[in-house]
């Protein structure tokens, strides 16, 4: 189910301005994917980024943030349908919901930090499982009700998850092509991953943060990894 863009874009723009990179998409078959917030050692998931059966990895350009990388590759106009994440649960908790959120552009807009307005074409997202009741609120507004079937990913298990819901792609493409051909979508700032667990806690990849529900619906209290994992923090 697609979450309203107005509720998610401010989160992305507030925390996702990336370091300047050096390459732009010039050919119509050249696509650029930027991935940031890649999991740390203590993070509860491991992720591989796939283009069909091919794993995508960094082009090797130097980045000030070693957890962010960019890759350039050739693909057709409907390249979005081939992009997926392989997500493995490496925590001791059961995962009950995964959301992947990405934004799209004609060019790699994240390379130019001087832009006062980021030229976005739209966004894509996919979700497996149901948001916990507490997570069904954002900015004081209720999100659409859960209609997807329940889901769980046990410790040690992995799955492949499309970056865009296959059920939503036709609608997304028609929306884009009201103004421009789909071939204009050549750059994705991709893969903000939000994970919910069976104890109602949450992890977000962009800042590697753990949180638990606060008193008000839709609000969260940040917690340490040790608190999330139920471990005694070692004194320094």
């Amino acid at each position: 189910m697609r979450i309203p863009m107005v509720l998610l874009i401010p989160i992305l723009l507030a925390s996702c301005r990336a370091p300047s990179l050096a390459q732009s998409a010039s050919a119509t078959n050249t696509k650029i994917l930027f991935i940031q917030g890649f999991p740390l050692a203590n993070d509860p998931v491991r992720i591989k980024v796939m283009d069909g059966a091919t794993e995508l990895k960094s082009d090797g350009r130097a980045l000030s943030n070693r957890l962010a990388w960019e890759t350039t590759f050739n693909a057709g106009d409907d390249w979005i349908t081939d992009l997926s994440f392989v997500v493995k649960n490496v925590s001791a908790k059961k995962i009950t919901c995964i959301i992947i959120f990405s934004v799209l552009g004609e060019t790699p807009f994240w390379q130019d930090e001087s832009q006062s307005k980021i030229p976005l074409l739209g966004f894509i997202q996919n979700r497996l499982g149901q948001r916990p009741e507490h997570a069904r609120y954002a900015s004081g507004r209720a999100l659409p009700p859960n209609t997807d079937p329940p889901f769980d990913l046990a410790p040690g298990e992995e799955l492949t998850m499309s970056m865009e819901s296959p059920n939503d792609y036709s609608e997304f493409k028609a929306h884009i092509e009201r103004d421009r051909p789909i071939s204009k979508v050549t750059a994705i700032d991709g893969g903000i991953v939000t994970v919910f667990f069976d104890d109602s806690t949450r992890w977000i990849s962009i800042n590697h943060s753990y949180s638990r529900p606060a008193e008000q619906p839709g609000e969260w209290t940040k917690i340490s990894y040790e608190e999330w994992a139920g471990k005694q923090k070692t004194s320094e």
Side-chain angles (χ1 to χ4, degrees):
M1 178 179 293
R2 186 171 297 276
I3 300 172
M5 184 176 182
V6 67
L7 300 178
L8 290 173
I9 285 295
I11 299 173
L12 176 71
L13 300 185
S15 57
C16 299
R17 294 312 300 265
S20 179
L21 304 176
Q23 187 166 332
S24 62
S26 56
T28 56
N29 63 343
T30 300
K31 314 298 182 182
I32 297 183
L33 178 64
F34 183 77
I35 298 293
Q36 52 189 313
F38 225 58
L40 298 168
N42 280 342
D43 285 341
V45 301
R46 295 289 176 267
I47 293 173
K48 291 192 295 185
V49 185
M50 308 296 293
D51 173 35
T54 302
E55 182 177 359
L56 298 176
K57 296 184 178 181
S58 170
D59 285 350
R61 290 185 292 276
L63 298 176
S64 58
N65 179 357
R66 63 181 178 83
L67 299 174
W69 51 267
E70 186 187 59
T71 185
T72 304
F73 57 101
N74 293 331
D77 290 348
D78 291 315
W79 64 302
I80 294 170
T81 62
D82 292 326
L83 296 176
S84 63
F85 277 13
V86 177
V87 181
K88 183 175 183 178
N89 182 1
V90 295
S91 78
K93 301 182 182 184
K94 184 182 293 184
I95 292 172
T96 58
C97 182
I98 305 173
I99 301 173
I100 299 176
F101 176 78
S102 309
V103 295
L104 301 89
E106 291 189 30
T107 60
F109 51 85
W110 56 84
Q111 294 181 1
D112 185 1
E113 295 181 319
S114 66
Q115 296 181 96
S116 58
K117 183 178 181 181
I118 298 177
L120 304 180
L121 296 183
F123 73 101
I124 56 173
Q125 70 173 21
N126 198 4
R127 187 182 83 215
L128 289 177
Q130 298 183 352
R131 293 185 302 273
E133 184 64 25
H134 192 86
R136 289 192 52 243
Y137 300 86
S139 302
R141 298 170 56 184
L143 299 176
N146 287 313
T147 57
D148 295 331
F151 154 86
D152 63 67
L153 187 68
E157 292 184 346
E158 71 176 27
L159 59 81
T160 300
M161 183 175 177
S162 299
M163 289 182 67
E164 163 70 331
S165 169
N167 296 330
D168 292 338
Y169 181 72
S170 295
E171 180 182 351
F172 162 78
K173 184 175 180 178
H175 173 76
I176 290 293
E177 292 193 328
R178 284 199 287 265
D179 299 314
R180 58 183 61 76
I182 194 68
S183 60
K184 291 292 186 180
V185 179
T186 63
I188 297 180
D189 183 346
I192 295 181
V193 180
T194 301
V195 176
F196 296 96
F197 301 89
D198 58 352
D199 64 352
S200 298
T201 57
R202 180 183 72 170
W203 174 80
I204 301 178
S205 66
I206 192 64
N207 55 6
H208 312 279
S209 68
Y210 299 88
S211 55
R212 56 176 170 77
E215 291 185 5
Q216 295 298 320
E219 295 184 3
W220 297 81
T221 299
K222 189 173 181 180
I223 59 177
S224 67
Y225 165 74
E226 288 79 11
E227 183 178 354
W228 174 84
K231 296 182 177 181
Q232 184 68 37
K233 188 172 182 180
T234 303
S235 59
E236 296 181 358

